[in-house]
């Protein structure tokens, strides 16, 4: 089956039976094949993956729809997802634009408005993915319990199974998981979070308006999201200033920031190996010492 035939199949699954006029491959991350496709009706962004994990694109579709329904910040319109002949796909609107002097402020305000949207509890009513790794969810009444049992411990277990937890690292993690309540708030409200917000997961659209892409949504402490934006950088100062205008950070945010970044470092350890081991160990040493 040719690439164009697969793309045509994806378009027909959303009710566009017009012929493809032009298509080309575009950058779309390491996980999926990504294409800009112009049909007789409009231009689409299509992600495809051969034998994707169960509900992989459906989970992303759900996350985009949850964010869209808030009206807080833009996301690409979702036309649909599907699977056939061993291929899975997600069909989105094509979004293109150039940053303006207002884009960073709009991104900060939009993310803050998203974080002001409250959920019924911490977690989510369906499982998702963080990168290619399955992310099990569920509802939790306390944020420290969700962060320990649904976030840190599964990544810890996965790392142990892959031989990425030498004895000292394992001991420090266990010590830390038993004492999370010392650093995590028990009185925060469950904010709707993008869940995987690094600098590559937002794009400028028309007039520079920011759009969020590739979410791994959850309801959690809003500072968890901000901590990840600081882990690898790429967000301008005006983004953080405008965010804090609507959603101030607590006085002890910097005391827990590395602890929130630990989850994403464990994810990267499991995805890419020991190259992230030293970064994990530095966080553990800060909290668990020797």
């Amino acid at each position: 089956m040719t690439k164009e035939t697969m793309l045509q199949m994806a378009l027909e699954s959303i009710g566009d039976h017009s012929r493809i006029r032009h298509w080309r491959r575009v950058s779309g991350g390491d996980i999926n094949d990504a294409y800009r496709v112009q049909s007789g009706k409009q231009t689409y962004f299509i992600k495809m993956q051969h034998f994707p994990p169960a509900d992989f694109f459906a989970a992303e579709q759900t996350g985009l729809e949850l964010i869209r329904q808030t009206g807080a910040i833009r996301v690409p319109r979702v036309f649909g997802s599907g699977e056939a002949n061993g291929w899975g796909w997600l069909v989105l609107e094509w979004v293109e634009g150039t940053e303006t002097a207002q884009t960073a402020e709009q991104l900060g305000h939009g993310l803050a408005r998203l974080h002001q949207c409250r959920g019924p509890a911490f977690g989510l009513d369906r499982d998702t993915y963080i990168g290619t790794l399955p992310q099990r969810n569920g509802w939790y009444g306390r944020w420290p319990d969700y962060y320990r049992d649904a976030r840190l411990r599964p990544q810890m277990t996965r790392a142990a199974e892959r031989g990425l937890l030498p004895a000292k690292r394992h001991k420090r993690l266990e010590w830390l998981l038993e004492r999370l309540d010392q650093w995590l708030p028990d009185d925060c409200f469950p904010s709707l979070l993008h869940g995987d917000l690094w600098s590559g997961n937002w794009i400028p659209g028309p007039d520079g308006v920011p759009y969020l892409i590739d979410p791994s949504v959850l309801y959690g402490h809003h500072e968890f999201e901000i901590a990840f934006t600081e882990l690898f950088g790429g967000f301008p100062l005006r983004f953080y200033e405008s965010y804090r205008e609507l959603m101030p950070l607590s006085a002890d945010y910097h005391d827990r920031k590395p602890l929130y970044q630990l989850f994403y470092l464990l994810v990267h350890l499991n995805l890419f190996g020991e190259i992230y081991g030293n970064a994990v160990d530095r966080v553990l040493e800060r909290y668990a010492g020797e």
Side-chain angles (χ1 to χ4, degrees):
M1 184 178 296
T2 67
K3 291 282 178 63
E4 185 167 341
T5 300
M6 291 188 297
L7 294 170
Q8 190 76 56
M9 180 174 61
L11 291 186
E12 290 179 359
S13 75
I14 64 165
D16 186 345
H17 297 279
S18 63
R19 295 297 301 273
I20 292 177
R21 294 180 176 177
H22 180 266
W23 65 274
R24 61 180 170 88
R25 188 162 183 169
V26 296
S27 60
D30 300 325
I31 300 173
N32 305 299
D33 296 335
Y35 302 90
R36 180 187 185 274
V37 180
Q38 184 177 354
S39 76
K41 289 186 175 181
Q42 68 177 79
T43 304
Y44 302 91
F45 178 71
I46 301 181
K47 296 180 175 184
M48 303 196 84
Q49 189 178 151
H50 204 206
F51 296 113
D55 295 326
F56 184 81
F57 289 118
E60 182 175 345
Q61 178 175 351
T62 296
L64 288 169
E65 288 294 340
L66 274 174
I67 296 173
R68 183 191 62 79
Q69 289 167 12
T70 69
I73 191 168
R74 299 281 186 88
V75 294
R77 178 184 173 188
V78 180
F79 291 100
S81 59
E83 294 185 24
N85 300 324
W87 285 90
W89 59 78
L90 180 66
V91 183
L92 307 171
E93 70 169 309
W94 176 261
V95 175
E96 188 173 17
T98 304
E99 289 185 50
T100 69
Q102 289 74 45
T103 299
E105 179 177 328
Q106 292 172 333
L107 181 61
H109 283 162
L111 187 66
R113 289 192 296 269
L114 181 68
H115 290 175
Q116 290 172 343
C117 299
R118 302 190 180 201
F122 297 99
L124 199 66
D125 59 358
R126 66 165 298 157
D127 296 340
T128 58
Y129 290 86
I130 182 75
T132 57
L133 302 179
Q135 171 59 60
R136 301 209 175 277
N137 286 299
W139 293 118
Y140 290 73
R142 298 179 66 247
W143 167 244
D145 292 341
Y146 175 80
Y147 190 57
R148 180 186 61 248
D149 297 336
R151 289 282 165 159
L152 290 180
R153 190 170 290 284
Q155 294 300 327
M156 176 182 169
T157 300
R158 185 173 285 112
E161 292 171 348
R162 298 183 181 187
L164 295 168
L165 282 190
K168 190 173 185 178
R169 186 179 297 163
H170 191 280
K171 181 179 179 181
R172 282 173 165 174
L173 269 169
E174 284 288 7
W175 185 94
L176 185 58
L177 263 59
E178 292 174 2
R179 295 165 176 82
L180 276 185
D181 285 56
Q182 294 182 24
W183 295 282
L184 301 193
D186 196 21
D187 59 351
C188 60
F189 64 83
S191 296
L192 181 57
L193 309 183
H194 174 282
D196 192 13
L197 190 58
W198 63 289
S199 60
N201 276 352
W202 75 272
I203 55 174
D207 300 318
V209 174
Y211 283 65
L212 298 186
I213 59 174
D214 297 343
S216 178
V217 298
L218 70 146
Y219 289 94
H221 187 203
H222 66 105
E223 292 179 355
F224 178 46
E225 185 117 281
I226 296 301
F228 183 43
T229 68
E230 295 192 69
L231 180 57
F232 299 122
F235 291 84
L237 178 61
R238 184 58 190 139
F239 160 76
Y240 294 104
E241 291 174 341
S242 59
Y243 177 87
R244 291 194 299 268
E245 289 170 4
L246 300 182
M247 285 288 285
L249 303 178
S250 59
D252 54 357
Y253 162 69
H254 289 284
D255 293 334
R256 71 172 63 95
K257 180 174 73 172
L259 188 54
Y260 282 164
Q261 293 173 340
L262 177 61
F263 167 73
Y264 293 100
L265 289 171
L266 287 170
V267 168
H268 280 71
L269 179 69
N270 283 318
L271 287 173
F272 304 110
E274 187 56 33
I275 189 174
Y276 285 95
N278 287 338
V280 169
D281 292 339
R282 284 194 294 270
V283 174
L284 295 177
E285 184 174 1
R286 171 178 177 141
Y287 294 96
E290 293 298 322

